[in-house]
Amino acid sequence: TKVLVFVEGQTEETFVNVVLGPFLGAKSIYLIPVLARTKRTRDGRTFKGGIVSYRRQVRREILRLVGDSSAALITTMLDYYGLPQDFPGMPNLSAGSPREKVTHLEHAFRQDIGHQQRFLPFLTLHEFEALLFAQPEQFGSAFPDRRREAARLAEEVSRLPPEEINDGPDTHPAARIIRHLPNYRKPLHGPRIAKQIGLTIIREKCPHFDAWISYLETLPQEAQR
């Protein structure tokens, strides 16, 4: 079962290849990450990574991917934090829990794209780094020369559900990490720490993420119906 995963950056691309891919591949579900294209230059070069516009970038790319009839499903791995203002559902985003807000946006996104049998959007609460807070002690292993700072970070987030850490400019997950560990490099350290934590713990601590993976696990059964 072939699944295309539209991702916004190299970190998510590596995470899909290194962590999610082997796990789901063992269940005959083969993930192929597709990195967002930020812009094309006049000489034909493409700059990849980052979401800057829904209409001009995300929607266009998703509709192109839906055209691949060999894919059983097209899904996404985009950060809720920093979504562009033209994203579906943004104008009427009401108060509620982080998961309620993201569910609202995912529903609006799915409605806007259509192809609902083959398109399942997923937005990470609030961004990729939240998954790493499923076991923040692992930052100490990734930064052995900064164990004291890593311990302070782990203490700061130890009582917070990873997916509920807020999206303030100074308190979103990545900002918290960089404040304590300024040498943190998302594409390098993020997937490495996630792999060290393991999907079992991440899924246990991140229910919205777990619901996405749980759906992907059903795909072979769905294809047989």
Side-chain angles (χ1 to χ4, degrees):
T1 302
K2 174 182 171 181
V3 177
L4 301 178
V5 188
F6 182 71
V7 298
E8 73 171 78
Q10 293 178 337
T11 304
E12 291 81 5
E13 181 183 37
T14 303
F15 177 74
V16 168
N17 281 330
V18 173
V19 181
L20 286 187
F23 171 75
L24 289 170
K27 300 173 184 287
S28 299
I29 303 157
Y30 304 104
L31 305 185
I32 301 174
V34 179
L35 189 58
R37 293 183 287 190
T38 304
K39 64 179 180 179
R40 279 202 183 105
T41 60
R42 290 182 179 178
D43 62 2
R45 289 182 300 164
T46 299
F47 290 86
K48 295 187 176 182
I51 301 301
V52 295
S53 167
Y54 174 75
R55 289 287 164 189
R56 296 193 309 272
Q57 181 189 20
V58 177
R59 190 174 194 275
R60 185 179 299 172
E61 286 289 298
I62 294 296
L63 289 175
R64 182 180 66 84
L65 296 179
V66 168
D68 183 348
S69 60
S70 68
L73 185 76
I74 291 81
T75 187
T76 66
M77 191 175 188
L78 309 176
D79 290 347
Y80 167 55
Y81 178 74
L83 282 176
Q85 287 304 304
D86 66 341
F87 203 86
M90 278 291 191
N92 57 345
L93 187 63
S94 59
S97 70
R99 188 168 182 180
E100 287 171 342
K101 290 180 180 179
V102 156
T103 300
H104 166 79
L105 292 174
E106 288 173 341
H107 177 74
F109 187 10
R110 196 175 192 184
Q111 291 290 118
D112 185 66
I113 294 296
H115 303 278
Q116 299 203 17
Q117 293 297 110
R118 295 180 58 241
F119 177 57
L120 178 74
F122 169 71
L123 302 176
T124 308
L125 271 168
H126 282 83
E127 60 185 338
F128 173 83
E129 276 77 5
L131 304 179
L132 309 183
F133 290 155
Q135 195 174 62
E137 298 79 12
Q138 291 296 339
F139 283 95
S141 300
F143 295 90
D145 57 337
R146 294 287 186 272
R147 289 190 180 274
R148 184 176 299 176
E149 293 88 341
R152 290 197 194 106
L153 170 63
E155 173 61 25
E156 178 181 309
V157 301
S158 63
R159 297 172 185 83
L160 301 171
E163 291 182 325
E164 294 180 23
I165 292 174
N166 66 42
D167 57 350
D170 301 316
T171 54
H172 63 90
R176 292 174 186 263
I177 295 171
I178 292 171
R179 185 166 64 249
H180 293 279
L181 301 165
N183 291 332
Y184 172 78
R185 298 293 178 266
K186 181 174 180 174
L188 172 65
H189 299 108
R192 185 183 299 175
I193 294 171
K195 186 176 182 181
Q196 190 69 27
I197 295 169
L199 276 178
T200 300
I201 293 175
I202 293 175
R203 294 179 70 177
E204 178 185 322
K205 297 295 181 67
C206 302
H208 184 62
F209 173 81
D210 176 59
W212 179 49
I213 302 303
S214 294
Y215 181 87
L216 295 180
E217 288 179 303
T218 70
L219 286 175
Q221 291 87 341
E222 291 290 328
Q224 291 171 11
R225 291 182 182 180

